Amino acid sequence: MTGPSAAGDERHAEQYDVLLVEDDDGDALLVEELLHDTDLPYTLTRCHTAAEAHRALAAGRVDCVLLDLHLPDASGLEIIPTIQADTHAAIIVLTGLDEPRAGVESLAFGAQDYLVKGKVEPDLMQRALRYAVQRKQAELANAALQIGKLRAEENARLERGLLPEPLLSSAAVTASSRYYPGRAQALLGGDFLDVVQTGDGQVHAIIGDVSGHGPDAAALGVCLRIAWRALTLGGHRDQRLLRLLEQIHIAERAGSDLFTTCTLITLDPGAGTLTLHLAGHHEPLIVTPDGTREVAAAHGIALGIAPGVGDWPATTLALPADGALIAYTDGLIEGFVDGSGARLGVDGLLRIIDTLHTSDPGTHLDRLIARTRALNADRHTDDLAVLRLDWHTAGAAVPSHSS
C-alpha cells in the first residue's frame, strides 16, 4: 500500500518504507488509517507472521518496522532481537492497553519507540515514526564511528609491529616506506618490512608478504618482522637467517596453507655492494643516474612451501656512488590498467617511474602509489608495502654475481 502523500508531494525530502507486522486485521486497518492521515510520504507493506517479516526484510529496503508482539508464530519481547538481526531499520513496538510495561521493556530489547494501540493519533504516529528512524540512523552512525575508531587503533598497533622505525646510524643511507591495506577501512594485512644497521656499518632490510589477508596474516607478519630484527642484530645472515625464519613461520602460522614471500637486502656502504636473497619474491628496482631498472637476481622458493629444502642463492652487485633501491609487494603491480584487463606489471611500473621527477624519496613513493592506484581506479584488493633505500657512498665497484 502506498500513502496518498507519497506521490507528488515535494515538501518532503524523506521517503519512509514501512513494514507492518500485525496478524489482527482490525489493528492493521487502524495503523493504515493513521498513516494515511499523517503528512509522511511512505510505502506500507504488511506481514501477518514473523516468518513473513523475515522474508520481507531480506527482500528489500525497510526504514521502519511497526511490530506487534503477539504473532501466530512468535510472541513476546524476544521477537525484537530476531527482527533486528535481519535489518538496520528502526523498530516501533505496538502494545495493547493491557500491557502497561511491555512498551518500556521493549526499549531495553532494542526497539526505538513504542505506541499503545487505541491511544495513537496521526500526529503522534508521524512524530514517532520520523524520530524512531532518525534515532536508528544516529545509532548506526555512532556504531560505525566506534568501529572505525577501533579499526584505526588496531591498525596503529599493527603498523607499529609491521612497520617499525628504521634503526639507521649513518646518514649515508636513508629509508622511506609506505603501506596501504587492500580494502578501504580494512585492517592491515600480512605485508611487512624493516631496516636495521649493524655495528659494521652494513644496512640490512627485509620486505615480505604473508599469503592471505586478515588478522592471521597480520599476526604472522608481525612475528616474522620482529624475529628478523632480533636474528639480524644477533648476527644471523643470508640462508641461515632464512632457514630460521622459515622455522618460525611454520611454528606460528595459523594454517598449513600459509606461506611467506620475502626479500633480504644487505647494503654495504663501505664495500659498495648490494646483496639480495629472494624467497619467492620478485626483484626490486634500482634507481641510478642512468635511470631505473629491475635487478636481475637469483630466486628461491617462498618460506613454508617446502619446509627444510629451500635454497636461496645470493645475488651481489656493485653500488653506484648515488642511487636507490625500491622493493615492494605484489599489491603495487597487480592492479589492472584503466579497466583494460591488462595488469600494470613491472614494465608499467617502470614507465610510471620515468615520469616522476622529484628528489624527495617520500614524495616519490607517494606519487608512485597514487599513480598506480589511479590507473586501477582505486580497485586495489591486495595490500601493498613499498620500501625505498637511498644511499650516497663512494664505495668500490664490485662486479655483479650470483652464488
Side-chain angles (χ1 to χ4, degrees), residues 3 5-6 12 14 16 35 38-42 125-126 129-130:
S5 57
H12 300 281
E14 72 266 44
Y16 296 96
L35 284 171
T38 68
D39 197 30
L40 293 173
Y42 70 91
M125 171 65 79
Q126 179 169 313
L129 196 151
R130 177 178 283 135

Side-chain angles (χ1 to χ4, degrees), residues 310-322:
D311 181 63
W312 302 280
T315 298
T316 301
L317 61 151
L319 292 181
D322 295 280

Side-chain angles (χ1 to χ4, degrees), residues 23-45:
D23 65 314
D24 186 279
D25 291 338
D27 288 338
L29 179 60
L30 176 63
V31 171
E32 291 175 11
E33 290 177 346
L34 286 169
L35 284 171
H36 184 275
D37 291 337
T38 68
D39 197 30
L40 293 173
Y42 70 91
T43 60
L44 180 65
T45 302

Side-chain angles (χ1 to χ4, degrees), residues 332-375:
L332 188 64
I333 59 172
E334 288 195 338
F336 294 95
V337 181
D338 292 332
S340 64
R343 293 194 181 274
L344 178 65
V346 177
D347 290 339
L349 190 65
L350 290 171
R351 285 194 294 270
I352 292 174
I353 290 175
D354 286 340
T355 68
L356 302 178
H357 305 292
T358 175
S359 59
D360 180 71
T363 301
H364 181 267
L365 291 185
D366 290 334
R367 292 179 181 176
L368 177 61
I369 293 170
R371 288 285 300 278
T372 61
R373 287 160 63 96
L375 285 173

Side-chain angles (χ1 to χ4, degrees), residues 43-165:
T43 60
L44 180 65
T45 302
R46 182 190 172 192
C47 297
H48 295 76
T49 66
E52 288 182 22
H54 290 307
R55 289 193 293 271
L57 290 170
R61 168 188 163 179
V62 174
D63 296 308
C64 185
V65 179
L66 300 176
L67 178 64
D68 179 46
L69 295 180
H70 303 287
L71 301 171
D73 57 348
S75 182
L77 295 167
E78 289 74 16
I79 303 176
I80 299 172
T82 67
I83 294 295
Q84 280 182 319
D86 289 342
T87 183
H88 291 309
I91 297 177
I92 299 176
V93 166
L94 304 176
T95 68
L97 294 172
D98 58 346
E99 301 175 295
R101 295 186 57 83
V104 175
E105 291 174 350
S106 70
L107 302 180
F109 276 74
Q112 276 62 55
D113 206 344
Y114 68 94
L115 295 171
V116 180
K117 299 175 185 178
K119 288 191 174 184
V120 183
E121 298 295 332
D123 286 347
L124 177 58
M125 171 65 79
Q126 179 169 313
R127 288 196 303 272
L129 196 151
R130 177 178 283 135
Y131 295 157
V133 171
Q134 291 176 352
R135 281 195 294 273
K136 184 63 177 181
Q137 290 173 346
E139 290 174 10
L140 293 173
N142 184 64
L145 182 64
Q146 292 303 315
I147 291 172
K149 181 180 178 181
L150 290 173
R151 184 175 287 116
E153 292 173 351
E154 183 64 18
N155 266 342
R157 287 192 291 270
L158 286 174
E159 187 171 353
R160 287 193 294 271
L162 294 166
L163 309 170
E165 284 294 319

Side-chain angles (χ1 to χ4, degrees), residues 72-325:
D73 57 348
S75 182
L77 295 167
E78 289 74 16
I79 303 176
I80 299 172
T82 67
I83 294 295
Q84 280 182 319
D86 289 342
T87 183
H88 291 309
I91 297 177
I92 299 176
V93 166
L94 304 176
T95 68
L97 294 172
D98 58 346
E99 301 175 295
R101 295 186 57 83
V104 175
E105 291 174 350
S106 70
L107 302 180
F109 276 74
Q112 276 62 55
D113 206 344
Y114 68 94
L115 295 171
V116 180
K117 299 175 185 178
K119 288 191 174 184
V120 183
E121 298 295 332
D123 286 347
L124 177 58
M125 171 65 79
Q126 179 169 313
R127 288 196 303 272
L129 196 151
R130 177 178 283 135
Y131 295 157
V133 171
Q134 291 176 352
R135 281 195 294 273
K136 184 63 177 181
Q137 290 173 346
E139 290 174 10
L140 293 173
N142 184 64
L145 182 64
Q146 292 303 315
I147 291 172
K149 181 180 178 181
L150 290 173
R151 184 175 287 116
E153 292 173 351
E154 183 64 18
N155 266 342
R157 287 192 291 270
L158 286 174
E159 187 171 353
R160 287 193 294 271
L162 294 166
L163 309 170
E165 284 294 319
L167 290 181
L168 291 172
S169 56
S170 170
V173 179
T174 61
S176 307
S177 63
R178 298 293 187 269
Y179 194 127
Y180 288 89
R183 295 161 304 284
Q185 302 299 320
L187 286 174
L188 298 178
D191 293 9
F192 60 94
L193 55 86
D194 200 357
V195 181
V196 299
Q197 189 167 18
T198 49
D200 56 7
Q202 291 187 346
V203 175
H204 304 273
I206 186 172
I207 186 166
D209 182 1
V210 179
S211 61
H213 303 283
D216 288 340
L220 184 54
V222 171
C223 179
L224 291 173
R225 201 283 305 167
I226 293 173
W228 174 85
R229 177 174 281 206
L231 291 168
T232 299
L233 292 176
H236 298 278
R237 300 286 183 269
D238 306 333
Q239 294 217 34
R240 180 183 179 189
L241 175 55
L242 285 167
R243 290 193 181 95
L244 291 172
L245 288 176
E246 184 173 60
Q247 292 176 22
I248 294 169
H249 169 96
I250 294 167
E252 298 293 335
R253 65 185 176 184
S256 59
D257 58 333
L258 286 180
F259 61 89
T260 298
T261 68
C262 67
T263 294
L264 297 187
I265 302 165
T266 302
L267 194 156
D268 190 335
T273 60
L274 175 71
T275 301
L276 302 173
H277 291 81
L278 305 183
H281 212 79
H282 41 71
E283 297 93 334
L285 309 178
I286 188 166
V287 183
T288 71
D290 297 326
T292 303
R293 61 179 173 85
E294 188 177 39
V295 176
H299 283 263
I301 61 174
L303 306 183
I305 295 291
V309 301
D311 181 63
W312 302 280
T315 298
T316 301
L317 61 151
L319 292 181
D322 295 280
L325 188 78

